[in-house]
């Protein structure tokens, strides 16, 4: 009996860990859309009502794209001016993915798409 209980417990825990491991699999595009686009806009140009109000910088601009990866990382992690800090909320890896994602706005067809 005890052994069966342990087995069930292990199965339940295992299932839980699996679900938990899948949760952070949301990709950078989805995170951006949910957490950033409200201010920065879906095209990262900052032309939302909130974005204009807060004077959100155009992340597709040369000025923003000329920042180094670690500068972009720090701005997102620590926040800047009216922008909230995301290091506790997103963690290192997802912020890194967001930096890579932001780079797409600065170049090629991905950046030009409407
Ligand atoms: C509440 C609105 C708001 C949200 C949400 C927000 N930002 Fe910002 N963001 C700003 C503002 C305002 C600035 C300009 C800060 C300053 O320079 O004072 C900024 C600046 C930045 C910068 C620096 C640009 C530069 O030229 O220095 C980056 C990079 C950035 N945001 C990325 C993001 C990412 C990625 C997210 C989502 C995880 C996000 N932001 C969410 C308002 C926001």
């Amino acid at each position: 009996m005890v052994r069966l209980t342990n087995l069930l417990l292990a199965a339940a825990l295992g299932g839980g860990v699996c679900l938990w491991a899948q949760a952070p699999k949301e990709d950078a595009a989805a995170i951006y859309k949910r957490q950033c686009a409200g201010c920065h806009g879906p095209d990262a140009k900052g032309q939302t009502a909130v974005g204009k109000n807060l004077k959100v910088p155009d992340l597709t601009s040369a000025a923003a794209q000329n920042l180094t990866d670690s500068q972009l990382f720090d701005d997102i992690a620590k926040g800047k001016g009216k922008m909230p800090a995301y290091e506790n909320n997103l963690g290192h890896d997802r912020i890194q993915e967001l930096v890579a994602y932001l780079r797409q706005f600065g170049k090629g067809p991905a950046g030009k798409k409407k």
Side-chain angles (χ1 to χ4, degrees):
M1 265 311 140
V2 173
R3 234 180 272 150
L4 182 64
T5 320
N6 281 345
L7 208 69
L8 288 174
L9 193 66
L13 279 175
V17 168
C18 265
L19 283 177
W20 178 79
Q22 274 164 5
K25 275 279 168 236
E26 186 178 24
D27 68 1
I31 296 171
Y32 179 85
K33 217 168 143 192
R34 189 161 52 80
Q35 308 247 37
C36 322
C39 290
H40 286 280
D43 58 2
K45 289 181 185 291
Q47 294 302 304
T48 63
V50 186
K52 286 183 191 162
N53 199 5
L54 296 180
K55 297 193 171 45
V56 165
D58 178 356
L59 298 180
T60 70
S61 69
Q65 292 293 327
N66 280 337
L67 296 170
T68 63
D69 281 4
S70 69
Q71 282 172 317
L72 290 175
F73 186 97
D74 283 350
D75 289 342
I76 301 167
K78 313 253 180 254
K80 194 178 177 191
K82 301 220 166 67
M83 167 156 160
Y86 284 92
E87 63 186 344
N88 294 330
N89 178 343
L90 294 175
H92 182 276
D93 290 358
R94 274 177 281 178
I95 295 176
Q96 203 99 68
E97 285 167 25
L98 277 170
V99 170
Y101 180 72
L102 291 181
R103 291 297 182 204
Q104 296 176 21
F105 287 115
K107 63 185 177 208
K112 300 237 164 66
K113 223 169 23 182
K114 50 171 175 71

